[in-house]
Amino acid sequence: MTDATLPSPEPGERLEQDVESAVLAAAATAVDAAAEAVDIVPLDSPRRLLLVHAHPDDETIGTGATMAKYAAENVLVTLVTCTLGEEGEVLVPEIAHLAADRDDGLGQHRVGELAAAMEALRVKDHRYLGGMGRWRDSGMMGTPANERSDCFWRADLDEAVRELVAVIREVRPQVVVTYDENGGYGHPDHIQAHRVTVAAFEASSDPAYAPELGERWQPSKLYWTAVPKSVLQAGIDALKESGGTDFFGVDSADDLPFGVADDVITTEVDARDHLDAKVAAMRAHKSQIEVDGPFFALSDHVGQRAFGREHYILVRGERGPGSETSDRESDLFAGVEHP
Ligand SMILES: [Zn+2]
């Protein structure tokens, strides 16, 4: 873990927390400056991976270990985030005033958190769909945030798709990752990210579609992120055994709004070697993620280990070979030809 840049304070130590905030802010500034200075030439990297996520922190929670692993292998990892996560709940009392119903400053704060998280994952290419702040976090269905005309849920789909096609044609990823049609768990921004990504995946390969956005590009594979029910159940059982708090208040993985049957999982990326980077990135998303919560505190770090393997469902493209022990792919690029 990069403790030098991301110190973890004892709870309640105000001074330490201020120091950590300052360090994170400095890291964010450094990353922003680097992003402007570094001119990425996508085709310099033979393997290119594009991930489309809804809010800052989704990339780390669902795919952070995968991103760190591929970045470490010199794959060009490009993250597109669709909103700034303005409507998120603020877990840190000191900055509770940033919440949407108070100062409404959470989006800008999360830009810094995301930049620090990318620093931790060593991912250099991160962008906001349509530019920073183009679309706002939609909040949950039925809330006032979801009625706003500037929210991503109400985005003009054609415009959003064009923005993503431009990125796909520039970066030319062989592999694209986003959520399933339910957005994983039903959040409107996740559902919208799914719709936009699927449409852009198709459109980018059509030479008749917006030729001014660049030469057509056909990515080889499209994946949904997924959490197998067995993994969720193991977490629930481990928490119960430890006598700790319950896991989202349920006894069975069947009662959770996310989680898929194990047999639909096509791909398991074992990135436990990069778990430290993922945990550091989770710490960077301090306003949203409580890394020192009960799940993480489990003895022998069951919780942390569970986060080192990430799962996917291949929905477009040829499935690559499995291994001796499993017919699941272990590599998102399995079977993909690249220069
Ligand atoms: Zn999200």
Side-chain angles (χ1 to χ4, degrees):
M1 193 184 305
T2 50
D3 279 321
T5 51
L6 298 170
S8 44
E10 293 302 315
E13 284 194 56
R14 180 62 191 269
L15 184 64
E16 290 276 334
Q17 294 214 346
D18 288 347
V19 169
E20 176 166 352
S21 303
V23 169
L24 288 176
T29 310
V31 172
D32 284 349
E36 277 160 30
V38 174
D39 203 5
I40 293 162
V41 181
L43 300 190
D44 284 354
S45 308
R47 292 186 295 164
R48 299 175 299 276
L49 167 65
L50 171 70
L51 304 103
V52 183
H53 280 287
H55 311 109
D57 81 358
D58 291 321
E59 80 296 327
T60 295
I61 296 167
T63 58
T66 301
M67 292 170 74
K69 171 183 149 71
Y70 284 112
E73 294 174 5
N74 291 317
V75 170
L76 174 63
V77 178
T78 299
L79 169 68
V80 173
T81 306
C82 298
T83 78
L84 304 187
E86 293 91 336
E87 297 291 333
E89 243 180 86
V90 185
L91 298 180
V92 181
E94 287 83 351
I95 55 167
H97 63 92
L98 294 176
D101 60 356
R102 293 176 64 186
D103 298 348
D104 196 19
L106 186 58
Q108 275 309 314
H109 180 82
R110 293 183 73 177
V111 166
E113 291 186 342
L114 179 55
M118 293 304 95
E119 174 90 331
L121 300 179
R122 301 280 179 260
V123 168
K124 294 184 188 75
D125 188 14
H126 66 104
R127 308 153 183 235
Y128 292 92
L129 188 68
M132 191 186 294
R134 173 64 191 89
W135 285 291
R136 188 180 160 94
D137 186 330
S138 309
M140 296 308 281
M141 300 286 190
T143 63
N146 198 249
E147 300 294 324
R148 291 176 59 132
S149 62
D150 58 350
C151 78
F152 188 48
W153 180 241
R154 306 201 178 269
D156 177 81
L157 262 188
D158 292 338
E159 183 193 347
V161 170
R162 277 182 64 91
E163 293 290 353
L164 190 56
V165 167
V167 176
I168 292 175
R169 287 184 178 172
E170 177 199 336
V171 173
R172 302 183 165 206
Q174 291 97 352
V175 177
V176 177
V177 171
T178 192
Y179 317 112
D180 65 17
E181 59 283 348
N182 186 38
Y185 72 107
H187 191 293
D189 289 328
H190 288 238
I191 295 172
Q192 191 77 314
H194 161 90
R195 290 177 180 163
V196 170
T197 305
V198 172
F201 184 94
E202 308 289 349
S204 65
S205 65
D206 177 358
Y209 179 88
E212 70 278 11
L213 295 179
E215 209 180 311
R216 69 177 288 276
W217 177 256
Q218 172 74 69
S220 305
K221 287 170 138 182
L222 177 62
Y223 286 97
W224 306 157
T225 58
V227 184
K229 280 193 178 169
S230 64
V231 170
L232 289 173
Q233 193 61 52
I236 292 168
D237 295 345
L239 261 185
K240 226 191 283 176
E241 258 168 52
S242 77
T245 18
D246 52 9
F247 189 86
F248 291 101
V250 301
D251 277 337
S252 162
D254 291 330
D255 299 330
L256 290 168
F258 45 91
V260 301
D262 283 56
D263 59 4
V264 305
I265 300 285
T266 59
T267 311
E268 176 174 325
V269 175
D270 183 349
R272 282 173 292 174
D273 288 350
H274 301 272
L275 187 57
D276 284 355
K278 178 171 180 171
V279 173
M282 290 173 83
R283 286 191 196 284
H285 288 293
K286 197 172 164 48
S287 73
Q288 304 297 309
I289 305 175
E290 219 179 333
V291 178
D292 301 310
F295 188 60
F296 268 88
L298 282 176
S299 62
D300 71 19
H301 303 286
V302 175
Q304 295 204 17
R305 273 210 317 272
F307 282 105
R309 290 197 193 99
E310 292 166 343
H311 300 81
Y312 300 89
I313 302 170
L314 177 71
V315 288
R316 301 271 199 292
E318 294 264 321
R319 182 164 171 169
S323 65
E324 278 172 20
T325 51
S326 163
D327 60 0
R328 288 178 181 171
E329 298 175 319
S330 58
D331 175 11
L332 296 173
F333 290 87
V336 171
E337 286 186 29
H338 50 80

